[in-house]
Amino acid sequence: MSARRAAFVLGSLEVFGPLSMDLSMPLLPQLAKDLHTSGSLAQASMSVCMLGLAFGQLVAGPLSDRMGRRRPLLWGIALFTVFSLLCAVAPTIEILLVTRFLQGVTGSAGVVIALAAARDIASGIELARLLSLLGLVGALAPILAPVAGGQLAAVMDWRGLFVVLAGVGALLLIVAGTLLPETLSAGLRHRGGFAATGRRFGTVLRDRLFICYLLVGACTGTAFFTYLASISFVLQDGFHLTPQAFSAVFAMNAVVAMLGSLSNRAVVRRAGPARMYVVGTTATAVAALALLGTVVAGFGLTVLLVLLALVLFCYGVISPNSSALALAGHGERAGTAAALLGMSTFAVGPIVAPVVALGGAADLTMALTMAVATVLACVLVWTAVLPRLRRARRDPPTVEHRADDAGEHHGASH
């Protein structure tokens, strides 16, 4: 595939995560009232979807290493469409939480397989550039979804938005079925059973540099999903923005994140993924600390929005470089490595976000959580990632690592 076609198709597949959450975000307060539940449980409907997106990748990613990318992907999209319809008819918050979780599990196939397919196509700096391009396409969902959700709120309730999600799933099924070729050749697939899958997970998890990327991803994911889960309540309840005004603000922030990905694509060939990763993580921590100071000082909505936009710009820089660096040494296990990488991002944030909501989803709790998470990510990058990255560039692969690869191929031959 050409870079543009790959970016369009794979970027479209990555919209499952943001689209599942962002489309209904403007109507979370209405959902809480309609199902006679609390704001915290309404936010939990986003959190369980994120958890499904996280842990579903642990199945879809390794499965795509065994079966190829297309079959697990098409099944995942089809089931996502079905569970979206079941969300639309959920009579209670308990049933909605279950169907939202299953919606996330099935939608995770698009998220993880898109990343694995990108690693099949490219590596190194070119992978970082491709992932930046995917970020541009994928960012259309956060831009369009809240705007569409805010406008649709005038003509339909939250149930109607889940029907819209089902329609989007059906459309993406057509796109994937007609435009995405198989990117993993039969000779590179691992035919072993559970034991071979366990060996692949073990090989990736013994890579200490990869583990550092997972930890940093968990921290930045916590900050990002805290923003997603809190911002509608902060702006609509705290600053009294209408759903339409909130949608416009959220869309502008998504444009800024898109500009971060575009900037990264423009300069990563000269600076390199590692340098852009370090700069992006450090700048995110500085911006989040400034956001916290602004909230404490009470500087108001305008300054808060500017600093939030800066955090999201930096996130757009971090994301493609983080994935490119983490997958660099695991091309033969791209699905498994991508699953662990995606899980680290999606799993931690949903756990933290409802806890933040217990404080009333106020701007202070949101800003404090984002600041702590991004500062921790920055510290990990400087103290753990950079030293190991330098050693990895200097030292050859270990005998143990090569033996693991040999064992995988031996298992595949049987």
Side-chain angles (χ1 to χ4, degrees), residues 269-282:
R269 274 183 177 163
R270 294 191 298 273
R275 182 175 298 175
M276 295 300 296
Y277 179 65
V278 174
V279 169
T281 308
T282 305

Side-chain angles (χ1 to χ4, degrees), residues 81-103:
T81 303
V82 172
F83 285 116
S84 295
L85 290 174
L86 292 178
C87 288
V89 298
T92 65
I93 186 62
E94 291 80 12
I95 293 177
L96 179 64
L97 291 176
V98 172
T99 53
R100 283 286 271 168
F101 176 77
L102 294 173
Q103 182 193 44

Side-chain angles (χ1 to χ4, degrees), residues 220-299:
T220 56
T222 295
F224 183 68
F225 289 123
T226 295
Y227 160 76
L228 286 180
S230 302
I231 193 63
S232 65
F233 291 92
V234 169
L235 295 184
Q236 292 186 77
D237 294 344
F239 290 95
H240 309 294
L241 268 64
T242 65
Q244 291 74 24
F246 161 74
S247 298
V249 169
F250 193 82
M252 286 188 289
N253 282 343
V255 171
V256 171
M258 206 164 107
L259 291 176
S261 293
L262 184 61
S263 300
N264 180 72
R265 179 174 168 80
V267 303
V268 71
R269 274 183 177 163
R270 294 191 298 273
R275 182 175 298 175
M276 295 300 296
Y277 179 65
V278 174
V279 169
T281 308
T282 305
T284 303
V286 172
L289 286 172
L291 174 67
L292 177 59
T294 293
V295 171
V296 171
F299 287 154

Side-chain angles (χ1 to χ4, degrees), residues 215-229 315 344-353 356 366 369-370 372-374:
L215 294 175
V216 174
C219 292
T220 56
T222 295
F224 183 68
F225 289 123
T226 295
Y227 160 76
L228 286 180
Y315 189 83
S344 74
T345 302
F346 279 97
V348 178
I351 296 172
V352 174
V356 174
M366 180 188 73
T369 306
M370 293 176 69
V372 171
T374 54

Side-chain angles (χ1 to χ4, degrees), residues 125-152:
I125 290 175
E126 293 309 312
L127 177 58
R129 284 173 54 81
L130 176 59
L131 293 178
S132 295
L133 204 55
L134 260 66
L136 296 178
V137 178
L140 290 175
I143 293 171
L144 298 177
V147 173
Q151 300 305 316
L152 290 172

Side-chain angles (χ1 to χ4, degrees), residues 1 99 107 120 128 141 144-145 147 171 183 185 207 220 316 325 333 375 392:
M1 289 189 293
T99 53
D120 295 338
L144 298 177
V147 173
L171 179 61
T183 60
S185 64
D207 182 347
T220 56
L325 292 168
R333 297 168 293 274
V375 168

